Amino acid sequence: MNDFFTVSIIIATLASGIRLAVPFLLAALGEAVGQRAGVLNLGVEGVMLIGAFAAYYTALESGSAAFGLLVGLAVGAIMGLIYAFITVVMHAEQGISGIGIYLFGLGFTDLLFQKLVGTPKPISGLQARPFEWLADDTGRVGELLLNHTVLTYVAFLLVPVVYFLITKTTFGLNVRAVGENPQAADTLGVNVNRIRTAAIIIGNTMAGLAGATLALEIGIFQQNLTAGRGFIAIALVYFGAWRPVGVMTGSLLFGIVSSTVLQLQVQDVFSGSVVPIANMAPAVLTVIVLVVVSRRIGQPAALTRPFTRDS
């Protein structure tokens, strides 16, 4: 246990926590945009899986992680169009539709993996570290903050971008209006269906990016690779009160707790029958905080409510 409380181990644990937070952050930021427009997507996990497989298989066949990343983004956008058609155009119940997207993603990627790959094959994942040359010259700070892949910095830069989009632009004002009172927004000339469709596409594109990031960071794909990360991302939206900074805080907390548990296992602090219980710690922490936060912060008023124009 004493070995854990060394500076090098603590820095490595925190740096690992930042990396682990990235898929959660990307997926949760996108889901926050969708929910602010009044659309709940319980299929985030399925979209992440499809994005992860698309990026992995593309990188496996082409040898280009960057190309795989673009394909993951495109697949996420396509899934957004499908989900928007189901929920916005067809007015299907959002919860059931989302679960359907999740089950489709889980089964479809399993089928594709078995037919196209068979057994897990490693790929050359994301290698670019834009600030790696500075890391050795800045000591512990560099080791903690400057030795990450480019997508880590992209994910955290998206926090102010999403904040600006939601709070400082006409589109963001319309998103919030549609999420609170779509009938009132419609009377003011806002195209509710168009705004919700755009928000869904943004959310699913970022979920596809989250899945692609996960697969390319690990450098491999296997069945159910996401292992519940999409559902945790949805919980983190509530944790962060639908605000980008809050979502980032929750993602970092979850990532650091997960990294700490892994590091304690490496140090043999947890072993045997204690390991499964320790692995539950991040999820238990998320549930506890979610219960506390949800009692004092209200969700968007029109969340999960389909819009039908009054005749």
Side-chain angles (χ1 to χ4, degrees):
M1 185 68 173
N2 290 335
D3 291 340
F4 180 78
F5 293 103
T6 61
V7 174
S8 60
I9 293 296
I10 292 174
I11 292 295
T13 301
L14 293 175
S16 175
I18 292 173
R19 288 190 291 273
L20 290 175
V22 170
F24 298 113
L25 178 58
L26 289 169
L29 282 174
E31 177 64 10
V33 174
Q35 289 195 23
R36 291 299 289 265
V39 181
L40 172 67
N41 181 13
L42 294 180
V44 172
E45 176 94 354
V47 178
M48 286 179 68
L49 275 169
I50 295 172
F53 179 80
Y56 165 78
Y57 187 70
T58 302
L60 179 67
E61 292 296 310
S62 69
S64 171
F67 187 35
L69 192 66
L70 291 175
V71 172
L73 277 167
V75 166
I78 292 170
M79 293 303 299
L81 284 170
I82 294 172
Y83 189 65
F85 177 77
I86 293 170
T87 58
V88 176
V89 178
M90 303 303 294
H91 295 164
E93 205 281 326
Q94 293 176 13
I96 302 230
S97 301
I99 294 297
I101 292 289
Y102 159 62
L103 292 174
F104 170 76
L106 181 64
F108 188 53
T109 54
D110 190 10
L111 174 65
L112 289 178
F113 180 77
Q114 293 292 342
K115 295 297 184 181
L116 299 177
V117 183
T119 58
K121 298 176 182 178
I123 60 173
S124 180
L126 297 171
Q127 304 295 329
R129 289 176 164 78
F131 303 110
E132 188 175 21
W133 59 278
L134 273 175
D136 293 335
D137 298 329
T138 50
R140 300 297 184 184
V141 174
E143 185 179 349
L144 176 61
L145 301 177
L146 301 176
N147 199 20
H148 301 283
T149 62
V150 66
L151 275 179
T152 299
Y153 302 105
V154 169
F156 285 95
L157 282 173
L158 282 173
V159 174
V161 170
V162 172
Y163 171 81
F164 181 84
L165 178 70
I166 294 297
T167 62
K168 306 296 183 183
T169 67
T170 302
F171 174 75
L173 175 63
N174 290 338
V175 165
R176 287 181 284 135
V178 164
E180 293 295 334
N181 193 331
Q183 277 71 27
D186 181 62
T187 61
L188 294 174
V190 177
N191 190 318
V192 175
N193 289 343
R194 185 179 299 169
I195 292 296
R196 284 191 166 179
T197 296
I200 291 170
I201 292 172
I202 290 172
N204 280 264
T205 300
M206 293 184 68
L209 176 60
T213 299
L214 180 62
L216 295 176
E217 285 275 5
I218 297 173
I220 205 165
F221 184 89
Q222 59 187 17
Q223 293 97 325
N224 196 24
L225 177 71
T226 51
R229 288 175 174 86
F231 292 107
I232 295 295
I234 296 170
L236 291 174
V237 175
Y238 288 81
F239 176 98
W242 296 270
R243 296 179 176 90
V245 173
V247 168
M248 179 186 70
T249 302
S251 299
L252 281 171
L253 177 62
F254 194 91
I256 289 171
V257 171
S258 300
S259 177
T260 301
V261 170
L262 290 173
Q263 189 62 246
L264 289 173
Q265 291 179 25
V266 170
Q267 299 291 328
D268 287 331
V269 176
F270 296 146
S271 59
S273 59
V274 180
V275 172
I277 298 174
N279 289 334
M280 293 169 55
V284 171
L285 176 64
T286 301
V287 170
I288 292 173
V289 176
L290 182 60
V291 169
V292 173
V293 171
S294 64
R295 288 183 175 181
R296 59 183 178 84
I297 298 176
Q299 65 185 25
L303 183 63
T304 74
R305 281 169 38 195
F307 168 72
T308 304
R309 176 174 285 176
D310 297 330
S311 56

